[in-house]
Amino acid sequence: MRLTIFRFRAITSVASANILKFEKYASFNPSPLSLKKLLEFGRTGQKNGSSQQSYIFLQKELPVRLANIMKEINLLPENLLKMPSVQLVISWYQQSFKELIEFENKSSEDQKIIESFTSTLVNIRNRHTNVVETMAQGVLEMKEAYGIDTNSENRIQYFLDRFYMSRISIRMLINQHTLLFGKREKNNDPRHIGCIDPNCNVLAVVQDAYENARFLCEQYYLAAPDMMVKTHNNSVSECETDPIQIAYVPSHLYHMLFELFKNAMRAVTEYHSDEGPMPLIKVMIVKGQEDVTIKISDQGGGIPRSKIDLLFQYMYSTAPQPARSDIASAPLAGYGYGLPLSRLYARYFQGDILLASAEGYGTDACIYLKVLSNEANEVLPVYNKTADKVYHTDIPVNDWSSPWSTNQRSFHSYTK
């Protein structure tokens, strides 16, 4: 069997024993879980204190998820791997992988080992707290030092979607374990199973996100648009007037809503800055048989159709980039990561975020979430030959006519 040497070009090479273990774990695919499975196990764990089963699963699954995404990190452009911020992120992942595989063959019968494992998970989560900002800083460092061509940008976009989705999934598993079995961590809400609310009230999360976005908007602009909400429950098993509830992770939903409200408020406030009362932000929440849909409609001037896809690019932002020292202070806009990350949170459990805009008027943003918890399965990146090929393949030549193409050949040249 041929061994692919695991190395990071700008980091000291990993010990040979760890290379073998890394390759072993990287050869396995992650095992996606559904919200239903997470809830069922969480309820059982709360009743029986079954930290043992969680330990058995996570001591194998977390190294697999780490190893899969670490394989892809090493395929990034050489110039990006050399950036200090990227090297720092790499070192965090190496250290976390090393700490996890120390539990590889340790007994699940020893409660002290399980407690040590839980403490290790807390340390890993804390270590990775600033991964998003640090990786974003690394991309900026590369852009400033070398520039980014179209092919590199395409590969970085592909990688960041997978890298951040992997991070969401790893934090989800860690949070579930530590909230259920950690002695120092407890849920603020006793109804929650770990970080999942079995009956997440969608309207309550909408109102919470709106109020916090409004506070931030008023800090920047000294004004903010009001909100009007309508709900419609079309679920067969529920009355039309029942509150709309689903099993979901409230913090994930809040993240999406807060970002969309920030964008809507900024657009409305700037577009109507010289007028009288600002138009309302209208929210519609609908529960159907398969999907819960949350539509946020603003009259903030809209977005040209040519720029809709750009809004989900990590290296694009419609707002000026704030000072680097402000990264941790959650500015209203500027880094361009808000929408791409929000869409990942939606897609993580088979949902999505879509934008539709009427340029010159406003924008509709729709969040789609799965109604049934057994259909809300994790969407996880898997390292394989297909993924590997993306990092070594240039963007294909366009085979449709385009007015922007600079490499067109024609038989006739028409001139006046």
Side-chain angles (χ1 to χ4, degrees), residues 164-181:
Y164 291 139
M165 186 69 93
S166 173
R167 179 179 183 271
I168 290 170
S169 76
I170 289 168
R171 291 182 76 82
M172 179 73 194
L173 296 185
I174 289 176
N175 284 336
Q176 279 300 99
H177 181 89
T178 56
L179 286 169
L180 289 169
F181 308 116

Side-chain angles (χ1 to χ4, degrees), residues 153-154 157-158 308-317 335-337 339-340 343:
E153 184 173 349
N154 183 56
Q157 176 74 23
Y158 175 82
I308 289 288
D309 290 341
L310 290 175
L311 296 178
F312 292 102
Q313 298 289 321
Y314 292 97
M315 286 159 276
Y316 176 83
S317 176
Y335 288 101
Y337 278 44
L339 273 176
R343 187 169 67 173

Side-chain angles (χ1 to χ4, degrees), residues 14 30 32-33 70 79 93 105 139 141 184 225 231 288 361 393 404:
V14 182
L33 302 173
M70 288 165 73
N79 289 337
Y93 272 72
N105 296 311
V139 174
E141 289 167 359
R184 297 181 181 179
T231 63
Y361 182 76
T393 305
W404 299 282

Side-chain angles (χ1 to χ4, degrees), residues 184-200:
R184 297 181 181 179
E185 297 191 31
K186 291 183 179 180
N187 286 324
N188 294 325
D189 193 325
R191 300 173 305 171
H192 289 189
I193 309 297
C195 59
I196 304 169
D197 186 346
N199 299 291
C200 179

Side-chain angles (χ1 to χ4, degrees), residues 126-145:
N126 293 341
R127 178 183 300 125
H128 290 240
T129 296
N130 295 319
V131 159
V132 173
E133 297 88 343
T134 309
M135 181 60 76
Q137 187 60 48
V139 174
L140 284 176
E141 289 167 359
M142 174 189 171
K143 193 172 183 179
E144 292 172 359

